[in-house]
Amino acid sequence: GSRRHRNKRMVQFILLAVIFLGPLVLAMYLYYGVDDWSPPGQTNHGTLIEPVGVLPEVPIETMAGESISPDGWRHHWTMLYVNPEPCGETCRQEIIKIRQIRLALGAEADRVERLYLSGEEPPGADWLERTQAGLVSAALDDNPALADALPSRDAAIYFIDPLGNLIIRFPTDADPEDIKDDLKKLLK
């Protein structure tokens, strides 16, 4: 009779293990194993920057020769486009893309600013003024404190929160819908 007793205890043990470990295993599987599933409210397209980078509270020296105080660009969400390369057609398309993403936010658009940190050959000032009203354009070399605070100088799109924290990074070829989705979640 002791063998049956032992089997019964084994079954109880397995049941308890399943009851206790099941939810944990399921949660880990959902979190790490499934591409499309993530807890609501989380961004799931861009890469979270860890540790979070903080941009210093310094004025931005723009290409137009203006100096924008930290108060002028803090306190908003900012889409930052960094591109140290000469700005050709692809780069111009990225600048247009962040403008369209902002417009697509509708009523929330006013909460989001756009900043472009350029390399040696930015697009012409006439093109920027004609097509990109509201975009703050500045050179990496003119803003060393901002440039040094970036995780890297490689071309990328970043989200900056109203406190100046670099939160999320997107590759430049990211789908605009994905970027907009993540931004909308953050603005909630």
Side-chain angles (χ1 to χ4, degrees), residues 25-94:
V25 172
L26 179 68
M28 285 177 71
Y29 170 72
L30 287 174
Y31 195 81
Y32 295 108
V34 183
D35 288 339
D36 294 334
W37 192 91
S38 71
Q42 276 210 332
T43 57
N44 52 1
H45 300 294
T47 308
L48 286 169
I49 297 167
E50 294 174 310
V52 167
V54 184
L55 293 181
E57 286 200 48
V58 293
I60 296 174
E61 306 300 331
T62 72
M63 289 188 229
E66 298 172 321
S67 183
I68 298 178
S69 77
D71 283 342
W73 63 273
R74 283 281 180 86
H75 317 301
H76 286 92
W77 287 90
T78 303
M79 260 189 297
L80 164 64
Y81 174 48
V82 178
N83 191 343
E85 307 296 321
C87 192
E89 186 55 32
T90 312
C91 161
R92 285 177 185 225
Q93 289 303 323
E94 291 299 313

Side-chain angles (χ1 to χ4, degrees), residues 13-188:
F13 174 75
I14 291 167
L15 275 174
L16 276 174
V18 169
I19 289 165
F20 280 108
L21 298 178
L24 183 69
V25 172
L26 179 68
M28 285 177 71
Y29 170 72
L30 287 174
Y31 195 81
Y32 295 108
V34 183
D35 288 339
D36 294 334
W37 192 91
S38 71
Q42 276 210 332
T43 57
N44 52 1
H45 300 294
T47 308
L48 286 169
I49 297 167
E50 294 174 310
V52 167
V54 184
L55 293 181
E57 286 200 48
V58 293
I60 296 174
E61 306 300 331
T62 72
M63 289 188 229
E66 298 172 321
S67 183
I68 298 178
S69 77
D71 283 342
W73 63 273
R74 283 281 180 86
H75 317 301
H76 286 92
W77 287 90
T78 303
M79 260 189 297
L80 164 64
Y81 174 48
V82 178
N83 191 343
E85 307 296 321
C87 192
E89 186 55 32
T90 312
C91 161
R92 285 177 185 225
Q93 289 303 323
E94 291 299 313
I95 293 172
I96 291 167
K97 180 164 90 179
I98 65 168
R99 175 170 174 260
Q100 289 170 332
I101 291 166
R102 180 178 175 273
L103 290 173
L105 293 169
E108 301 287 355
D110 290 344
R111 295 173 58 196
V112 180
E113 298 293 330
R114 292 169 301 136
L115 172 60
Y116 164 48
L117 287 178
S118 72
E120 289 178 13
E121 292 174 42
D126 57 334
W127 181 81
L128 286 169
E129 280 168 28
R130 197 175 68 246
T131 66
Q132 298 299 320
L135 174 74
V136 175
S137 304
L140 285 162
D141 290 348
D142 294 341
N143 295 277
L146 291 179
D148 290 346
L150 297 171
S152 88
R153 287 200 179 198
D154 296 341
I157 294 169
Y158 293 96
F159 287 167
I160 305 167
D161 76 6
L163 300 173
N165 299 312
L166 288 157
I167 303 184
I168 299 174
R169 177 183 187 278
F170 284 89
T172 50
D173 59 358
D175 183 330
E177 283 296 315
D178 289 351
I179 299 177
K180 188 185 82 181
D181 283 354
D182 277 6
L183 195 48
K184 274 193 149 166
K185 284 179 192 163
L186 288 170
L187 289 169
K188 274 182 185 166

